[in-house]
Amino acid sequence: MTDDKALSPILITGGGRRLGRHAAESFADSGQSVIITYRTDRPELDSLRAKSIVTLQADFSHQAGILDFIERLKAETSSLRAVIHNASDWLPDHKGVDNADLAEAAAGFQQLFSVHMLAPMLINQACEPLLMAHDGARDIIHLTDAVVRKGSKKHGSYVATKAGLESLTQSFAARFAPDIKVNAIAPALIMFQPDDDAEYREKALKKSALQIEPGAEVITQTICYILDNPYLTGVVLPVEGGRSVV
Ligand SMILES: NC(=O)c1ccc[n+]([C@@H]2O[C@H](COP(=O)([O-])OP(=O)(O)OC[C@H]3O[C@@H](n4cnc5c(N)ncnc54)[C@H](OP(=O)(O)O)[C@@H]3O)[C@@H](O)[C@H]2O)c1
């Protein structure tokens, strides 16, 4: 393990499960120190702690939760190698036309805005000094979604707030250049949810040219590619199995 890897952690939000967890474990196994955030406490977090991954509870669905997390992060570390904004909420749009429905639709939109845009914006701003304290390459990576280019009948608020996150990628890349690279990864289907049925799975696979469920490793590979590339900032890398050519 090099001192750099041990001294300056990579922060991965929403690292308690699936893609974020895979990246966190992979970095930890390589000797890189890692901090993850989790919203839901689960017994499986213990195996991350056993790998010396620091786990901080955080709820990004409101401003107070974000600011509280930032304070605890600053108490935990004085430098960061990278920040990976992976936390995400796949909340469907609430339909209906009466005021109660509209209030619920508004609450859902505000929740997704807070998780996908406000949290990354405030964390990036707060983490600039921590990243600058790292002696070496410094990165911010936003996990967005390939569906941003198409829209969605059922997840319009999710897509709109992920589009906002893509826009923040370019703004922070300009603002933090040349000291901190800021890029985004826009995945399409990477991993099914356990309750996705066979019909859904077949339909989803046919949307891409390569027609596979690739699994979390392709996202970890893409994160590593960005971290290792000194000439990349302000870009959105699609990892979508050729959806655009079908
Ligand atoms: N998986 C795919 O096929 C796919 C496709 C396109 C884009 N993406 C993007 O890739 C990233 C990772 O995907 P994934 O499937 O691994 O995501 P996921 O299973 O939905 O996990 C997201 C993480 O975000 C955390 N989270 C949700 N709401 C939160 C809140 N209010 N405050 C704090 N944390 C919160 C969850 O925490 P808890 O579990 O602790 O509650 C969870 O660990 C996401 O940004 C997603 O949009 C994934």
Side-chain angles (χ1 to χ4, degrees):
M1 184 193 301
T2 70
D3 282 343
D4 263 7
K5 279 184 160 187
L7 286 176
S8 294
I10 292 180
L11 168 66
I12 304 177
T13 66
R17 67 177 190 190
R18 290 165 56 84
L19 307 192
R21 181 187 180 98
H22 184 279
E25 290 189 299
S26 173
F27 284 124
D29 289 345
S30 77
Q32 168 66 55
S33 59
V34 177
I35 299 173
I36 65 143
T37 73
Y38 64 94
R39 179 184 49 170
T40 313
D41 205 353
R42 305 183 172 90
E44 302 90 79
L45 291 172
D46 285 340
S47 58
L48 297 180
R49 294 173 184 133
K51 289 178 189 268
S52 301
I53 293 172
V54 174
T55 60
L56 297 180
Q57 203 280 332
D59 184 352
F60 299 139
S61 64
H62 49 87
Q63 185 181 323
I66 302 166
L67 297 182
D68 173 62
F69 161 70
I70 289 170
E71 283 310 303
R72 285 180 290 116
L73 176 68
K74 286 183 190 164
E76 181 63 41
T77 185
S78 55
S79 69
L80 284 170
R81 160 67 182 89
V83 179
I84 300 174
H85 293 284
N86 168 80
S88 177
D89 194 342
W90 177 242
L91 188 70
D93 296 333
H94 183 83
K95 303 282 165 66
V97 295
D98 63 27
N99 276 359
D101 290 319
L102 297 180
E104 197 158 332
F109 192 90
Q110 276 161 355
Q111 181 176 328
L112 295 179
F113 161 75
S114 188
V115 176
H116 298 150
M117 294 177 67
L118 187 62
M121 192 276 277
L122 294 177
I123 292 168
N124 287 351
Q125 189 157 326
C127 286
E128 185 185 10
L130 299 184
L131 288 159
M132 292 307 294
H134 173 63
D135 186 18
R138 312 171 186 107
D139 284 83
I140 292 171
I141 299 176
H142 297 157
L143 267 292
T144 66
D145 196 304
V147 78
V148 160
R149 259 145 287 281
K150 192 166 176 279
S152 167
K153 280 187 271 195
K154 293 183 183 160
H155 291 88
S157 301
Y158 167 88
V159 174
T161 53
K162 286 286 191 175
L165 182 57
E166 279 201 5
S167 174
L168 285 174
T169 307
Q170 289 154 332
S171 297
F172 273 106
R175 176 166 155 183
F176 287 168
D179 299 313
I180 303 168
K181 296 182 284 145
V182 185
N183 294 289
I185 300 171
L189 168 68
I190 302 296
M191 271 177 89
F192 286 116
Q193 297 287 348
D195 56 357
D196 290 337
D197 63 29
E199 190 188 346
Y200 174 84
R201 286 172 190 241
E202 193 186 341
K203 205 171 141 200
L205 288 171
K206 284 192 175 141
K207 286 185 185 169
S208 76
L210 298 177
Q211 300 198 9
I212 56 166
E213 178 199 10
E217 176 62 15
V218 295
I219 296 302
T220 300
Q221 285 171 346
T222 310
I223 292 170
C224 291
Y225 168 73
I226 292 172
L227 296 182
D228 290 345
N229 191 322
Y231 201 49
L232 206 64
T233 199
V235 305
V236 181
L237 288 180
V239 181
E240 42 84 288
R243 280 203 172 200
S244 56
V245 299
V246 172

